[in-house]
Amino acid sequence: MGMSLKGKIVFITGASAGIGAATALAFAAERARLLLAARRVTKLGEVASLAMESGAAGVHSIQLDVRHRHAVQSAIDELPEEWAQIDVLVNNAGLSRGLEKLYTGKVEDWEEMIDTNVKGLLYVTRAVVPGMVVRGRGHVINLGSTAGEMTYPNGAVYCASKAAAHAINDGLREDLLGTPVRVTSINPGMVETDFSLVRFHGDSTRAAKVYQGLTPLTPEDVADAIVWAASRPAHVNIARVTMTTVHQANSLLFHRE
Ligand code: 8X3
């Protein structure tokens, strides 16, 4: 039996779809209070309603693009008092753009990945963690990737962004040593979400091929690991969880039927 998440304030970035949305619903089932952030407010509203139906003790939604440093800081500074004491931060917002050789890749794609996956992660962390330190409680859960553990061809910049997330995760844990604030990285392999659709700029035929002949992880599988890490007893810090479908061994090795 783990620690109860009932009434805990869980802040999830990128909560409008994919792993973020599934994570919102998984914490809702634990009766947590959800602070949901994303760029797409309509989709976020749908997740918020579902979360209330699933048992959330409350939902507060904010429109936020984690790439905008000042917007991130004001969003945190301007939280209503009853939402300000964040217990769990799930740094989920992230994306991949393009699958091309580094020497022909699009610089705009690189900027978008680095701005979101690395700088956005830093901005949100920088805005939220000081409060956790002052309150003497908190947990930061970062979404890493198998891509951050092993690079694959045509994915250098995405892989680099996730390797950076890995270093930030470990560095933050080192810097928080001596406080009760926990830091965890959840590193999934292939998960079936809009990930590939976004990577291929909306090319659904190309995106579907990514998942062909294998059973990918679902967003719910990943959400389950996130909730598990968050619900360990207060003295237990899960440093990282690497998880893949049985049809994937690492970034490079897949089994397709
Ligand atoms: C997602 C894993 O291998 O599809 O971060 O890039 S992979």
Side-chain angles (χ1 to χ4, degrees):
M1 246 315 266
M3 196 168 74
S4 169
L5 295 168
K6 194 173 165 191
K8 291 261 164 77
I9 299 182
V10 182
F11 179 30
I12 304 168
T13 64
S16 59
I19 294 170
T23 301
L25 299 186
F27 277 106
E30 301 295 324
R31 310 280 182 265
R33 297 171 66 203
L34 302 176
L35 201 47
L36 304 180
R39 290 171 298 175
R40 296 177 291 175
V41 274
T42 310
K43 280 190 164 280
L44 193 60
E46 289 163 15
V47 176
S49 307
L50 282 174
M52 283 311 289
E53 285 166 27
S54 308
V59 180
H60 182 75
S61 303
I62 39 183
Q63 182 175 26
L64 185 65
D65 186 333
V66 299
R67 293 176 297 180
H68 300 151
R69 172 155 67 108
H70 298 295
V72 168
Q73 190 62 53
S74 340
I76 299 305
D77 290 346
E78 289 160 17
L79 280 174
E81 207 179 307
E82 66 275 22
W83 284 99
Q85 306 207 346
I86 297 167
D87 294 292
V88 181
L89 162 63
V90 183
N91 271 320
N92 166 75
L95 80 177
S96 69
R97 284 288 193 197
L99 192 64
E100 310 181 44
K101 292 188 189 299
L102 184 72
Y103 59 87
T104 56
K106 287 191 192 61
V107 175
E108 295 75 24
D109 285 348
W110 302 352
E111 306 269 26
E112 197 175 352
M113 290 187 279
I114 292 167
D115 287 350
T116 311
N117 303 1
V118 184
K119 293 168 74 178
L121 169 74
L122 288 168
Y123 298 156
V124 177
T125 302
R126 180 65 182 82
V128 173
V129 175
M132 291 179 166
V133 173
V134 169
R135 291 188 292 277
R137 63 171 205 274
H139 192 168
V140 181
I141 302 180
N142 295 309
L143 267 294
S145 171
T146 48
E149 299 179 8
M150 185 190 278
T151 311
Y152 52 80
N154 303 311
V157 178
Y158 176 71
C159 294
S161 76
K162 288 299 184 178
H166 203 159
I168 292 163
N169 182 71
D170 288 351
L172 181 63
R173 191 177 330 96
E174 291 168 1
D175 292 345
L176 284 166
L177 189 65
T179 78
V181 181
R182 306 188 287 178
V183 185
T184 299
S185 184
I186 304 290
N187 300 355
M190 184 183 282
V191 184
E192 191 162 15
T193 63
D194 289 341
F195 180 86
S196 297
L197 197 63
V198 171
R199 162 166 269 173
F200 299 131
H201 296 275
D203 181 341
S204 52
T205 313
R206 199 169 169 203
K209 286 210 179 93
V210 173
Y211 308 111
Q212 233 164 44
L214 53 74
T215 306
L217 291 178
T218 66
E220 290 74 23
D221 295 327
V222 182
D224 190 46
I226 293 170
V227 167
W228 173 77
S231 58
R232 291 314 83 214
H235 70 287
V236 178
N237 190 106
I238 303 298
R240 87 186 95 258
V241 174
T242 299
M243 57 192 296
T244 63
T245 161
V246 288
H247 293 151
Q248 177 176 12
N250 57 40
S251 278
L252 292 169
L253 208 51
F254 294 87
H255 172 77
R256 293 185 198 263
E257 301 290 347

